[in-house]
Amino acid sequence: MTAELVRGQNHALPQTRLGIRVSAGSPVVAGATLGDERGAVRGEEWVAHPGSPRLPGLEVSRQAAADHRLAVDLDALPEEVHRVTVLLALPTGAGRPVRFGAVAAPFVAVTGLDGTEIATFTLTGLDTETAVSALELYRRQGAWKVRAVGQGYAGGLAGMLADQGVVRAVEVAASIQEAVAAGQARAVTPPPRTPELDRARNPATPAGSTAAGDGMPPAPSPQPPGDPAPVPPGVTPGGPIDYAHPRRQTTAPPPPPPTAPPAAPGQPAQPVAGDATGWSMDERLYNQIWGMFEDLARAVAAYRSAVDFAESRMDQELDRTLSDPRSRIGGAGDRAREEARAKRDELTGRAREALDRDLAQLAAESAVVEPALPAAYAAWDNPVWHGYRVPMEIPMAMRIGDLHLPEDAGLRIPLLVRLPLERGIWLDSGRTASEAAAETSGDQLRRLAMETAVALATRLLAVYPADEFSVHVIDPAGSAAGALAPLVASGALAGPPAAGAEGVSSVLAGLTRRVDLVQMAVRARASDALPPDLDTGEQLLIVNDFPHGFDDRAVTQLRYLADEGPAVGVHLLMVADREDARAYGPVLDPLWRSLLRITPVADDHLADPWVGHAWTYEPLRAPRGSRVLEQVLALVAAARRGGAH
């Protein structure tokens, strides 16, 4: 029976391999500290946080999120550790909550390997605090217990760490927030959470899969072989592994989603496009794609975790065998190695079989979803573009590329971003560590980056109603004239590409003025007072070759547009190599972090918001020889000319 704890209450722990589940109404940082018999943290190396997520017997999340799953193996902790304190903190940054009293009360649950809740605690009564010690696992007279703490700190992470004895508490707290900011910069923003669209958290086996048991939680992020770490959820020591992962909730508000034809006995249900929650087909497809994204992330996490566990168990069995001198005589040692490897191979084989079933089901779902996508969600080779017409309203999202994982590079998940854009985009034209970038020259990377930017701008123009979206271009040296030709020839740009320092200054001044005026009008609730010559539609600024042609004032204006622009309809699309701006040092770090980084060639730098896998991003390109971009731009320009009469 679950113990529902109140502040200060404790409860005995019946096992030492545990999961800790955290649920909050908005993204929080989840970490943990190790304490000695006095509860003191002996050094930074005893603090687990997103920048250093693994300690012996302990693993925490790699990024801020509304939901976390921490893994704890109390038997694997260092002998001098007598206490594990779970801490929560609000991430810093513009637009973030500044106190726990402004967000929903966090909920923390200590669970067993099978997902059964042992003890729960809801952290009520918080107000000005920005960090909180949620609960602690402590050892007394050889037995482990959990205590609900709920101690908040208005001084934030630094105050909480200092209270636990961390010497350089301020520096450690700053490094944690920096790691969180870096993780957020590379993470794909998930859809907003609503009661109707919350996905079911009760695990269920996907169609076509089998599992060893029911009610298992999703696997935590994988652990490298050999590390003393908690056994993955669903694993009973010496028993079977459960490879189940959550499936999305398919009960939708009216109108009901389409239903699949009945499946043959023993066969998985046939996938159907739009099989997700939502009030319109576009919304259902959007939620279905995000559901596929999450399903693939969790299926691969379960597989990787199972493989890591199999490797770790093999290492432990070999260590135990070889530590006995008798096993070194005769063939006992060889037999033990063969048996350990056979068990490892059996476990990894079963894990791969389960993953392959999930991948096959997701591939079948993708095969029916892709042809049904509207233009905003579709790739450039989708036939939907042949019948393109300028829309009458803004779609809820737009596709900017595809994502895939190495377990199945052929299974692509469309990367959809909400509209209006919530953050700018940085197209990295520099040389990255990816294999594709290594095979491409610097000039080719810059050309491909600008072509990708033009394709994105074309898509934005195409999915907005006529005269509700404008594109400006800064090309100081004129080096992108070839790539910009489709935009320039169509007449879809708000004006000719700005060149030279004077052109840069003029465009930035105009957009900065627009942001200032709209902000003042919004605050004063006086939108009718805006100047008649002000374009109130959404604006996109493409910047090529940054920081060439930018003085200090222009750089400051660009940072201002990146921070304040999205809220009032001004968005950045930066085409830049960060190395070119290295002379500015850390001054530009907030700018780079505020933008969603994508690449003109395949690169595995984006992270999902659930598990934190490194996903390979690939940009959308028109088929070779296709004139789909020019045709779409011609229709957009014609609609604008027609609206002007």
Side-chain angles (χ1 to χ4, degrees), residues 119-453:
T120 63
F121 176 41
T122 301
L123 284 77
T124 57
L126 298 175
D127 187 13
T128 61
E129 299 89 345
T130 58
V132 59
S133 295
L135 55 78
E136 62 183 18
L137 313 177
Y138 65 98
R139 179 165 53 189
R140 180 161 297 170
Q141 296 179 345
W144 284 93
K145 295 183 178 182
V146 57
R147 176 185 291 120
V149 181
Q151 174 64 53
Y153 293 83
L157 271 172
M160 179 167 56
L161 293 174
D163 192 47
Q164 295 185 27
V166 178
V167 177
R168 299 174 60 252
V170 174
E171 291 83 353
V172 174
S175 69
I176 293 174
Q177 292 292 1
E178 287 174 6
V180 171
Q184 289 296 313
R186 62 185 290 267
V188 179
T189 305
R193 296 178 60 180
T194 64
E196 294 83 6
L197 300 182
D198 267 353
R199 294 161 59 83
R201 292 300 175 186
N202 294 324
T205 306
S209 296
T210 60
D214 297 323
M216 302 296 181
S221 46
Q223 191 84 6
D227 280 4
V231 177
V235 175
T236 303
I241 297 176
D242 173 33
Y243 305 108
H245 63 89
R247 283 291 286 178
R248 61 191 168 283
Q249 192 172 358
T250 55
T251 303
T259 56
Q267 297 296 319
Q270 294 301 310
V272 172
D275 184 16
T277 58
W279 294 90
S280 67
M281 188 61 174
D282 285 3
E283 185 178 0
R284 293 200 295 267
L285 286 167
Y286 172 83
N287 290 324
Q288 185 173 17
I289 288 170
W290 271 92
M292 294 165 61
F293 188 8
E294 183 175 356
D295 286 347
L296 181 55
R298 295 194 184 278
V300 170
Y303 167 71
R304 292 179 180 178
S305 185
V307 170
D308 287 344
F309 167 69
E311 294 281 356
S312 178
R313 193 173 81 165
M314 180 186 72
D315 291 341
Q316 292 171 8
E317 290 179 352
L318 289 175
D319 288 344
R320 284 196 299 268
T321 300
L322 297 178
S323 64
D324 185 354
R326 291 171 297 179
S327 67
R328 303 170 191 169
I329 302 173
D334 293 337
R335 286 194 300 272
R337 277 189 286 269
E338 291 175 2
E339 290 174 1
R341 292 188 182 112
K343 290 179 184 178
R344 185 270 316 272
D345 293 343
E346 178 189 0
L347 290 175
T348 56
R350 287 169 50 201
R352 185 71 212 195
E353 288 176 5
L355 176 65
D356 287 343
R357 286 193 294 269
D358 294 339
L359 293 176
Q361 182 68 6
L362 286 168
E365 191 169 6
S366 177
V368 299
V369 167
E370 279 285 354
L373 295 178
Y377 303 174
W380 287 116
D381 60 356
N382 192 307
V384 71
W385 288 105
H386 297 317
Y388 167 76
R389 294 293 181 270
V390 177
M392 300 298 292
E393 59 182 20
I394 304 171
M396 68 182 300
M398 185 188 80
R399 186 173 184 167
I400 64 169
D402 291 334
L403 299 172
H404 62 85
L405 291 172
E407 280 75 9
D408 189 346
L411 179 56
R412 308 298 177 93
I413 301 295
L415 175 54
L416 302 181
V417 295
R418 299 276 292 196
L419 294 179
L421 294 173
E422 298 170 347
R423 61 196 290 200
I425 296 174
W426 166 28
L427 250 165
D428 189 351
S429 60
R431 186 172 300 282
T432 64
S434 71
E435 182 179 343
E439 297 172 350
T440 310
S441 69
D443 290 341
Q444 286 178 310
L445 283 173
R446 286 188 288 272
R447 177 180 56 81
L448 290 172
M450 199 61 205
E451 289 177 355
T452 304

Side-chain angles (χ1 to χ4, degrees), residues 83-128:
R83 184 177 302 176
V84 179
T85 302
V86 176
L87 58 89
L88 306 177
L90 295 175
T92 57
R96 301 281 192 184
V98 296
R99 59 190 184 91
F100 268 109
V103 301
F107 171 83
V108 184
V110 179
T111 71
L113 290 178
D114 60 357
T116 302
E117 292 182 348
I118 299 171
T120 63
F121 176 41
T122 301
L123 284 77
T124 57
L126 298 175
D127 187 13
T128 61

